[in-house]
């Protein structure tokens, strides 16, 4: 299936320990649990195609993706830094007014100079005492943000991560996040801080098309298991003023929706 193919593709890309991985001309939405894992953790592990081994490879590469108005899920979008180029013309491929006419040739002859100036910026940051960036935070990439932002700050380059919020919103526009739908549709029916099981809400969720479409399985039991997996993915996440939480009672998982700044629920039943 598609998820399996993506996992195997990622492992194949990462096994040679590349300096960078690039997805060119992305036309589909960037949305993959495996890709999200690879972008966040320092290692990636999966079963190698045609073999019984499960290699664990370090992830030290730069990730790049290009495309026209690329769409990304919220999970992937929060792991991206967008660089947007807007030529303000109908067909950008016809644009001619470039400061550097032949970029490939320029890099062959001037690439060393670009590297030199990058090192000048890094050395200036070290000479200034390695000040950390104090601006926007970038979850899961705090150290990278503080160091790169600090270097740019010393160099007087403003605007680092200034488009982060708007970029995430634009890339995820039209993405019906399951948590948002679940809170909007289910919360008024189950109430606040009232625990429930998967069995309690299964029929309700099957009757809501925007939730039912996320479930898989040929029979009721399989679809209940699928609902449980989707619920597990959403546990601990916030949508607006609400947070989906999980507790345990008599070795059975129970879920509840609470206001995000209120105490956790103690289940007595």
């Amino acid at each position: 299936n598609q998820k399996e193919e993506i996992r195997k593709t990622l492992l194949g890309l990462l096994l040679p320990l590349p300096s960078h991985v690039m997805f060119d001309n992305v036309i589909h939405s960037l949305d993959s649990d495996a890709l999200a894992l690879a972008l966040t953790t320092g290692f990636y592990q999966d079963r190698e195609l045609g073999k019984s081994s499960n290699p664990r490879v370090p992830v030290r590469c730069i990730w790049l993706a290009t495309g026209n108005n690329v769409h990304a899920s919220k999970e992937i979008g929060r792991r991206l830094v967008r660089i947007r180029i807007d030529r303000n013309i109908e067909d950008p491929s016809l644009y001619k007014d470039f400061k550097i006419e032949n970029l490939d040739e320029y890099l062959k002859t001037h690439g060393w100079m670009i590297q030199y100036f990058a090192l000048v910026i890094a050395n200036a940051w070290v000479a200034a005492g390695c000040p950390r960036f104090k601006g926007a935070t970038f979850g899961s990439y705090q150290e990278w943000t503080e160091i790169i932002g600090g270097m740019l700050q010393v160099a007087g380059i403003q605007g680092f991560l200034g488009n982060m919020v708007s970029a995430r919103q634009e890339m995820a526009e039209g993405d019906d996040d399951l948590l948002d739908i679940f809170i909007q549709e289910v919360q008024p029916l189950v109430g606040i801080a009232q625990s429930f099981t998967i069995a309690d809400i299964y029929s309700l969720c099957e009757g809501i098309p925007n939730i039912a479409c996320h479930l898989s399985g040929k029979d009721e039991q399989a679809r209940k298991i699928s609902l449980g997996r989707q619920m597990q993915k959403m546990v601990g996440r916030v949508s607006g003023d609400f947070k989906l939480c999980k507790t345990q009672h008599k070795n059975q998982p129970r879920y509840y929706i609470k206001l995000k700044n209120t105490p956790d629920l103690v289940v007595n039943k």
Side-chain angles (χ1 to χ4, degrees):
N1 58 42
Q2 187 180 17
K3 289 185 177 181
E4 185 81 7
E5 288 299 317
I6 292 174
R7 285 172 39 222
K8 296 296 182 287
T9 298
L10 286 174
L11 182 63
L13 290 170
L14 293 171
L15 274 173
L17 304 180
S19 61
H20 65 278
V21 172
M22 181 171 182
F23 301 104
D24 191 27
N25 194 28
V26 174
I27 57 175
H28 299 292
S29 176
L30 286 170
D31 184 12
S32 164
D33 293 343
L35 178 59
L37 180 69
L39 289 171
T40 308
T41 60
F43 291 87
Y44 186 78
Q45 185 171 19
D46 207 332
R47 185 174 66 83
E48 196 169 358
L49 188 63
K51 300 181 180 180
S52 59
S53 59
N54 289 273
R56 184 172 183 259
V57 295
V59 180
R60 298 289 185 270
C61 56
I62 295 172
W63 297 86
L64 302 153
T66 67
N68 184 23
N69 290 327
V70 175
H71 178 278
S73 68
K74 289 185 178 180
E75 283 302 303
I76 297 296
R78 78 167 190 84
R79 293 167 165 83
L80 301 181
V81 175
R82 186 179 71 171
I83 302 171
R84 187 181 183 96
I85 301 174
D86 184 359
R87 292 296 177 194
N88 200 32
I89 60 174
E90 184 176 350
D91 188 348
S93 66
L94 300 178
Y95 187 81
K96 295 181 178 180
D97 242 355
F98 295 105
K99 290 183 179 179
I100 300 173
E101 291 186 4
N102 191 326
L103 186 59
D104 288 337
E105 287 300 318
Y106 181 85
L107 289 175
K108 288 177 184 178
T109 56
H110 294 80
W112 66 269
M113 186 171 66
I114 296 171
Q115 296 177 41
Y116 170 78
F117 285 124
L119 291 172
V120 168
I121 292 175
N123 284 330
W125 177 70
V126 172
C130 302
R132 297 289 174 134
F133 182 64
K134 300 298 183 182
T137 58
F138 190 8
S140 302
Y141 304 95
Q142 190 64 31
E143 187 174 16
W144 177 87
T145 303
E146 291 177 352
I147 292 175
I148 299 300
M151 289 182 181
L152 295 175
Q153 209 163 247
V154 168
I157 300 172
Q158 304 299 318
F160 179 58
L161 297 182
N163 68 339
M164 186 166 59
V165 174
S166 61
R168 288 179 182 178
Q169 291 173 344
E170 289 172 17
M171 284 191 293
E173 192 172 321
D175 184 25
D176 291 328
D177 186 88
L178 182 56
L179 177 65
D180 295 338
I181 298 169
F182 185 84
I183 295 294
Q184 181 180 348
E185 299 285 350
V186 177
Q187 184 277 319
L189 301 175
V190 300
I192 297 175
Q194 300 295 317
S195 71
F196 52 84
T197 65
I198 295 298
D200 292 335
I201 63 167
Y202 171 70
S203 296
L204 170 62
C205 291
E206 283 285 24
I208 302 172
N210 286 338
I211 296 179
C213 69
H214 289 271
L215 307 184
S216 59
K218 296 181 179 180
D219 55 38
E220 181 176 316
Q221 183 58 30
R223 290 179 70 79
K224 281 183 178 179
I225 292 173
S226 177
L227 177 59
R229 288 174 178 164
Q230 294 291 352
M231 292 289 290
Q232 188 58 42
K233 290 180 183 178
M234 298 187 292
V235 166
R237 291 177 56 196
V238 172
S239 174
D241 293 327
F242 299 99
K243 183 176 183 179
L244 179 65
C245 302
K246 180 181 177 181
T247 186
Q248 201 85 4
H249 181 63
K250 294 183 179 179
N251 295 321
Q252 183 182 38
R254 300 186 70 91
Y255 303 87
Y256 62 96
I257 299 169
K258 70 167 189 170
L259 292 171
K260 62 183 179 182
N261 294 322
T262 57
D264 289 337
L265 177 67
V266 176
V267 177
N268 296 316
K269 62 175 182 177

